[in-house]
Amino acid sequence: MKKILDKIELPANLFWGYVGLTLFMIGDGVEQGWISPYLVSRGVSVSSTSFLLTLYGVTVAIAAWLSGILVQTLGPRRVMLGAAAAFFIGSIGFVGFGVPQLNWPVMEIFYAIRGFGYPLFAYSFLTWINYTAPVDQRGAAVGWFWFMFSLGLSVIGPYYSAVFIPIIGHIAILWTGTAFVLFGTLIGVVLNRDKVPQKEMHDFSIHELLKAVTILKNARVSVGLVVKTINGLAQYGLAVFLPIYLATFGYSTTEWLHMWSLVFTVAIFANLFFGYVGDHIGWRNTIQWVGGVAYAFVLVAIYFTPRIVGHNFYVMTFVMCLAGVTMAGYVPLSALFPLLSPENKGAAMSILNLGAGLSTFVAPAIAGLFFKSLGAEGVLFIYAGFYILSAILTPFLKTPSELNSNAKTTKAPV
């Protein structure tokens, strides 16, 4: 088994963690595609449903931000067990007492608690990877993380729901999701015997927790926050306005949904590919040229393609899938980021996750501000401009060992 894992560059010491991650994300992903229309079908207003999901998103963003610094002070096992506890408590209230009776206050409180679950679990494991995976294979290791994460959340979880909802119903599906989460925790935390080196751990204190903010005094970390925020702009922004733009060329909502789902199917495998590529040609090179420059050109192509070919589903799908390929160019950023502040890797990972959270707010805000006045062309070119900015900033993401030739730190394929 170890020889096989070494060949595919999946860290053998963390194998059970990857398996547990996938199972956890299956459990969290079972309601991703249907919770909103299901609640609306039972008489809940669209605005109330949107508020519920927004509240959930806020706790997800907070948990993602705190995950790295909590791992640095408490260790990944404790944080991941706490994540499972939050998900379980949230599920008992939301699924057991909220949804069946549509008890709205209960649903709001406990779905928010449930939102702390997956970021604390998944991003704590991502931080764990950056502590113990071999540095020369760390790009591939984080590529495997994003592959397993997306496989559970975006592929198996929704597919499982689609198959079994007609058989056992929505409420039962939510309960089975909780079972997946608990089973994933058992495998990912208990069977996974890997240990973070004690020298990497910091004492739990207010001072240490504040490093999730004060680490931004490190200019390279601050630049990295900008790059990570740009990373998710198209992912979270295109869905806001692109279906409207494509509809003017005759593309139906069904065609859009097929294209959008294929984008993320392609991205899952591209995550793996560019994890390997980053280890061989350099993490910054991959981020700069694939995630930055190539992504910008793809966004421009998305605008011009329907103007040139009109309503051609297959050509448009191909161009859209290129977005799935190029977005994966940012995968090595998850390996590079903690090395920007090697003495505070957990705090650095908190900023990485903060950037991911900021994308979810900034991307639709840009679309909302400029689509009416500038149209799809304006928004796509604004996004493309940000990706070029990302490419310009990426070379500044140098590690202390590169800045100080006398530093005795392990070299990485940056």
Side-chain angles (χ1 to χ4, degrees), residues 287-298 387-388 391:
I287 297 164
Q288 181 178 19
W289 296 107
V290 181
V293 175
Y295 207 167
F297 278 103
V298 168
Y387 283 100
I388 295 297

Side-chain angles (χ1 to χ4, degrees), residues 35-37 39-40 44-58 104 107-108 111 361:
I35 190 66
S36 179
L39 292 175
V40 171
V44 179
S45 69
V46 173
S47 60
S48 293
T49 301
S50 297
F51 179 76
L52 179 73
L53 296 179
T54 300
L55 194 61
Y56 176 84
V58 169
W104 201 247
M107 290 170 66
E108 288 177 329
Y111 201 50
F361 296 102

Side-chain angles (χ1 to χ4, degrees), residues 198-274:
Q198 190 59 40
K199 64 180 181 180
E200 299 279 11
M201 299 303 299
H202 294 217
D203 293 334
F204 184 84
S205 67
I206 296 297
H207 173 72
E208 287 295 326
L209 294 178
L210 286 175
K211 285 182 179 179
V213 177
T214 58
I215 195 173
L216 288 170
K217 293 178 181 178
N218 181 325
R220 296 180 305 280
V221 173
S222 296
V223 171
L225 174 62
V226 175
V227 173
K228 181 58 182 176
T229 302
I230 293 172
N231 172 192
L233 290 183
Q235 178 181 348
Y236 296 110
L238 291 182
V240 176
F241 69 92
L242 195 56
I244 302 170
Y245 174 63
L246 293 179
T248 63
F249 296 92
Y251 292 89
S252 68
T253 301
T254 300
E255 287 177 316
W256 158 255
L257 291 173
H258 283 305
M259 285 189 285
W260 196 235
S261 64
L262 282 171
V263 167
F264 291 98
T265 302
V266 168
I268 287 174
F269 295 98
N271 286 339
L272 268 184
F273 177 74
F274 285 113

Side-chain angles (χ1 to χ4, degrees), residues 106-175:
V106 170
M107 290 170 66
E108 288 177 329
I109 293 170
F110 284 96
Y111 201 50
I113 293 173
R114 200 171 186 261
F116 283 103
Y118 97 74
L120 287 178
F121 190 93
Y123 297 140
S124 292
F125 182 62
L126 178 60
T127 305
W128 194 344
I129 291 170
N130 276 289
Y131 277 128
T132 65
V135 70
D136 59 338
Q137 297 179 4
R138 202 162 289 170
V142 298
W144 275 110
F145 168 86
W146 290 113
F147 177 86
M148 298 295 194
F149 179 95
S150 301
L151 183 67
L153 181 67
S154 303
V155 179
I156 300 178
Y159 181 76
Y160 166 79
S161 288
V163 171
F164 286 98
I165 281 176
I167 301 172
I168 63 177
H170 295 84
I171 302 295
I173 284 290
L174 290 171
W175 283 125

Side-chain angles (χ1 to χ4, degrees), residues 357-376:
L358 289 176
S359 297
T360 65
F361 296 102
V362 175
I366 292 173
L369 286 172
F370 296 103
F371 182 71
K372 186 175 181 180
S373 58
L374 301 179

